[in-house]
Amino acid sequence: MKSLVPLIIAGVLGLAPSLASAAPGSRLWATGGVTSFEGAAGGGLTPWALIAGYDSSQQWGGTVAQSTAHLQDYTLNVTAAAVSFDNRVELSLARQRLDLDTLGGRLSMDTLGLKVRLYGSALYNRWGEWSLGIEHKHDRNFALPSAVGARSSSGTDVYLAASKLFFGVVAGRNLLLNADIRATKANQTGFLGFGGDKHDRYQPEFEGSAGVFVNRQWLVGTEYRQKPDNLNFAKEDDWMDLFVAYVPNRSLAVTAAWVDLGAIAGLKHQNGPYLSVQGSF
Amino acid sequence: MYPRLTRTLLAALCLCGLGACSSMPSASDSLYQQLGGKAGISKTVTMFLYQVVDDDRINHYFAGVNADRLQKRLTNQFCQLSGGPCHYGGDNMHKVHAGMHLTDADFNALVEDLILAMEKRRVPISAQNRLLGKLAPMHAQIVGK
């Protein structure tokens, strides 16, 4: 997997122009969401039911994204890519690096994601859009997670996501609501391994987000992500953010956010700015 | 700008859950006014049809169609949908699109053309959204028939 990430990203970058010229995705602007830190289409911290990119019937879509968050004691960097087909299936790959600015060292993991749209449409269906996703994660450094009580260096999350756009309901603006239920054993989404000395079983966690399209290019919203608390050495907090996404066209999305990740590995109040730039087709 | 209203709406939407609130109370009569009455709607429909004719993704579906009649039908349909004093006398959406095998891609292109037309006509964003909200459910009667 080590050499796979740059290879796939290069592949997507190389394919993007040719696929885009062959069959430009015809989904409406911003309907691929942006790239979450785990690589799947979503917001910043949570996946949405939307499929990455702009592919509609029989079309290909894709995204590449670079994201960073600067917290009090940590710096997060994510490189991610996704390809999608038929607005039905999305395959994503992400490499996440967490620099331990205060503690010293770096944690790194890879996430391979698959999302399938099961039913509906966020725009056109009264019951919204429903997707099932899996995220297989593997820690590239396991010494620290192991030392603090993590049981495994890899794990697989499964989530069910629902997304729905409500037309003109907030001061005439469109409201996008998303909800996920996720089964996971991940500690700090996997940076600190999977399972722990306190709990070592799958637990259901809720994730939700709400955003308002100020116009078709600007989405302002918030996300919340519940997390398990598997390790005795330090308490794990839920995550949240406030975000602004700018989607000027089908090629570019820029997301700025303020993320609050709570306590991480005993260091409290980890919050700070987040920036993500996505190219798509 | 409307923090209290936003919070109340968010709370209401959360309470009734995803998808269960498709019929929010809306001021249909004001939508008709916001669209500029029948004259404004007619101009928007004309602009919409110009966009469609220019759109190589879908304009072939409209080859040989009586543009004048289509313009009047759509104007009456949008007028009626927006709460105006009009009557859409055409066939239902299912019947009109039967046998055309339209795809999601076609439907998306059509919606995009309508949005671009409304933007060119400087239709207020709230009116654009409310009209789109009334048209969106027609997807089920139009695509794949």
Side-chain angles (χ1 to χ4, degrees):
Chain A
M1 203 131 162
K2 193 172 179 180
S3 57
L4 207 59
V5 176
L7 196 72
I8 289 188
I9 289 171
V12 170
L13 280 173
L15 274 173
S18 55
L19 284 174
S21 61
S26 68
R27 253 189 288 152
L28 290 172
W29 311 280
T31 54
V34 296
T35 301
S36 71
F37 82 102
E38 286 162 313
L45 300 180
T46 67
W48 296 347
L50 306 176
I51 298 294
Y54 289 99
D55 48 302
S56 189
S57 347
Q58 300 297 309
Q59 298 168 342
W60 286 88
T63 58
V64 285
Q66 181 67 40
S67 311
T68 184
H70 290 266
L71 312 169
Q72 263 74 3
D73 300 294
Y74 303 94
T75 304
L76 173 70
N77 280 291
V78 179
T79 306
V83 287
S84 52
F85 180 69
D86 198 31
N87 191 23
R88 174 64 64 186
V89 60
E90 165 195 309
L91 185 67
S92 62
L93 197 58
R95 170 159 296 176
Q96 298 101 335
R97 298 169 300 275
L98 188 70
D99 284 309
L100 317 180
D101 303 330
T102 303
L103 302 169
R106 169 187 272 193
L107 296 171
S108 177
M109 69 172 164
D110 289 331
T111 301
L112 181 63
L114 178 70
K115 190 199 291 178
V116 177
R117 183 172 62 86
L118 300 176
Y119 170 81
S121 156
L123 274 64
Y124 307 135
N125 190 297
R126 66 174 303 195
W127 304 110
E129 184 162 332
W130 295 74
S131 295
L132 186 68
I134 61 169
E135 288 175 343
H136 179 72
K137 302 178 176 185
H138 179 72
D139 287 334
R140 300 173 68 231
N141 319 74
F142 192 56
L144 176 63
S146 173
V148 299
R151 292 287 188 248
S152 174
S153 64
S154 61
T156 304
D157 291 0
V158 180
Y159 62 90
L160 179 68
S163 298
K164 165 95 178 141
L165 187 80
F166 297 88
F167 288 94
V169 295
V170 181
R173 267 52 183 180
N174 298 340
L175 171 72
L176 179 66
L177 292 185
N178 303 279
D180 304 295
I181 185 89
R182 177 191 298 261
T184 183
K185 290 170 79 171
N187 312 318
Q188 297 294 1
T189 70
F191 281 114
L192 291 179
F194 303 82
D197 45 9
K198 194 194 283 183
H199 302 289
D200 187 19
R201 55 180 156 75
Y202 274 99
Q203 291 170 67
E205 306 291 343
F206 172 79
E207 299 163 7
S209 69
V212 173
F213 280 95
V214 178
N215 58 33
R216 70 173 165 87
Q217 299 183 321
W218 290 89
L219 177 66
V220 179
T222 182
E223 295 180 283
Y224 186 84
R225 177 166 176 151
Q226 207 178 33
K227 291 169 44 259
D229 186 22
N230 296 331
L231 300 172
N232 279 315
F233 96 106
K235 188 180 174 302
E236 180 166 343
D237 288 330
D238 294 347
W239 285 2
M240 67 155 295
D241 70 34
L242 299 170
F243 69 84
V244 179
Y246 174 56
V247 189
N249 51 48
R250 290 192 182 87
S251 304
L252 178 70
V254 180
T255 309
W258 185 265
V259 297
D260 181 353
L261 307 188
I264 297 178
L267 300 174
K268 289 180 179 165
H269 309 302
Q270 298 304 317
N271 52 57
Y274 166 95
L275 184 69
S276 179
V277 179
Q278 173 192 276
S280 57
F281 68 99
Chain B
M1 200 165 162
Y2 306 102
R4 185 174 294 268
L5 177 68
T6 308
R7 257 205 309 277
T8 311
L9 279 170
L10 279 173
L13 285 164
C14 290
L15 277 176
C16 51
L18 288 176
C21 271
S22 50
S23 55
M24 294 290 292
S26 65
S28 337
D29 52 336
S30 77
L31 174 56
Y32 174 68
Q33 298 302 337
Q34 271 190 301
L35 293 169
K38 189 159 183 188
I41 291 170
S42 177
K43 285 179 188 163
T44 298
V45 167
T46 299
M47 185 67 77
F48 174 35
L49 292 177
Y50 280 133
Q51 290 290 140
V52 169
V53 166
D54 274 347
D55 190 338
D56 290 335
R57 297 174 298 180
I58 53 172
N59 54 12
H60 56 275
Y61 288 116
F62 294 84
V65 166
N66 181 333
D68 195 45
R69 198 179 71 151
L70 179 61
Q71 199 278 348
K72 288 194 169 69
R73 286 250 162 104
L74 282 171
T75 300
N76 278 325
Q77 187 183 30
F78 288 11
C79 172
Q80 184 178 358
L81 274 173
S82 65
C86 307
H87 176 66
Y88 169 68
D91 289 325
N92 68 43
M93 287 296 99
H94 191 294
K95 196 169 171 187
V96 170
H97 300 93
M100 292 180 75
H101 308 291
L102 297 174
T103 65
D104 277 326
D106 299 326
F107 191 81
N108 286 329
L110 195 70
V111 175
E112 180 178 328
D113 290 337
L114 176 58
I115 293 171
L116 292 174
M118 290 192 290
E119 286 182 354
K120 285 189 174 169
R121 285 266 307 136
R122 299 185 189 284
V123 172
I125 290 173
S126 59
Q128 291 185 29
N129 292 339
R130 288 189 181 113
L131 181 61
L132 290 172
K134 292 184 181 298
L135 294 168
M138 292 181 181
H139 174 269
Q141 298 145 41
I142 292 175
V143 171
K145 302 300 171 193

